[in-house]
Amino acid sequence: AQATIRTWRRRSGLSSRSHVVIEPDTRLDPGVRLQIESSLSMEVQRNKSKRRVSKVTGQNLGKSHCWATKKDGKPCMRCRDPQSEVPYCRVHMKVGDPSLKVVQHPNKAFGKILVAARDLPRGYRMVYWGRRIAWHKCKAHKDWAMSYVKNGGVIDPCGIPQSKLQYMSCPGPSERSNTKATSQCFGTPHDTRLVGREFVLMEGVCKNHQLIQWYGKDWFAA
């Protein structure tokens, strides 16, 4: 029975769900089915009890649960995808944070930009994530490369559209940055998985307003 429980847990990912649904399986003895149901239900309850939510941003705290939030501001209920240290679940690693939206700039010459899909509070946490790559191998994507841990190369998000922070614009002469990178990184210097770096909002951002990142003093000169 224990082997069966572990298999069902792995295949269904129920460790990150808020409810348990088990389809009938005539091969299992009713007593075994009851044991499986009970075990999975208890695991879900344990995950729910471990999850802590920020009263300021409405996001899950820590790194064990997904940082994404829904468009109504409610936090994702899933655990972090175990395939990397980036604090997003498997679903939001595939679609990105729903509270952030990539749109076309009104002036098409500027390409795509990132805006808030809803009103976002100051302190909202996000991740600039992608592949870890050596800087000398990233020259073609240097405009999007993000610094990572010491001796760890850079983060390259190119080719991963669901990594939405790569679409943040640089502030113009009459604009100011409303995001900043922190020293918190996700992954190791030689990680072969997806890695990331934390960004936070320095001020609240209204729905459909831009998220802006300072590219550096040499950007406009270039």
Side-chain angles (χ1 to χ4, degrees), residues 171-191:
S174 61
E175 298 175 322
R176 67 175 185 271
S177 298
N178 53 20
T179 69
K180 67 175 181 180
T182 75
S183 59
Q184 175 71 64
C185 291
F186 308 101
T188 64
H190 305 289
D191 217 320

Side-chain angles (χ1 to χ4, degrees), residues 31-166:
V32 174
R33 281 181 50 78
L34 181 61
Q35 183 180 356
I36 293 172
E37 261 187 346
S38 176
S39 176
L40 293 176
S41 296
M42 289 175 63
E43 181 175 333
V44 170
Q45 293 302 318
R46 284 196 300 270
N47 283 332
K48 291 174 70 175
S49 66
K50 293 177 183 177
R51 196 171 64 86
R52 298 176 298 118
V53 178
S54 168
K55 295 181 180 179
V56 177
T57 66
Q59 294 173 282
N60 291 316
L61 294 170
K63 296 183 288 185
S64 61
H65 284 77
C66 182
W67 282 9
T69 56
K70 302 175 183 178
K71 291 183 180 180
D72 60 5
K74 294 181 179 179
C76 175
M77 299 289 287
R78 302 180 185 88
C79 290
R80 171 182 58 80
D81 184 352
Q83 298 301 317
S84 80
E85 295 298 320
V86 176
Y88 289 126
C89 66
R90 290 179 181 177
V91 172
H92 291 116
M93 288 292 279
K94 293 180 179 179
V95 300
D97 187 339
S99 292
L100 307 174
K101 182 169 60 173
V102 178
V103 299
Q104 179 67 47
H105 191 282
N107 184 339
K108 292 186 178 181
F110 293 113
K112 295 180 179 180
I113 57 175
L114 185 65
V115 302
R118 63 179 179 86
D119 292 348
L120 296 176
R122 177 182 178 182
Y124 191 84
R125 296 174 300 156
M126 307 158 289
V127 183
Y128 197 109
W129 60 274
R131 304 176 188 86
R132 187 191 65 79
I133 189 172
W135 169 243
H136 71 274
K137 296 181 179 180
C138 195
K139 295 302 176 66
H141 300 161
K142 63 181 182 179
D143 288 345
W144 294 271
M146 174 57 58
S147 55
Y148 183 49
V149 298
K150 184 177 181 180
N151 300 322
V154 296
I155 302 167
D156 179 10
C158 293
I160 311 176
Q162 58 269 37
S163 179
K164 297 181 179 180
L165 295 197
Q166 65 181 295

Side-chain angles (χ1 to χ4, degrees), residues 9-30:
R9 182 183 297 124
R10 184 172 61 253
R11 290 178 179 174
S12 62
L14 284 171
S15 59
S16 61
R17 296 186 180 181
S18 57
H19 63 281
V20 176
V21 176
I22 297 181
E23 297 179 355
D25 190 336
T26 56
R27 297 172 296 175
L28 294 180
D29 178 90

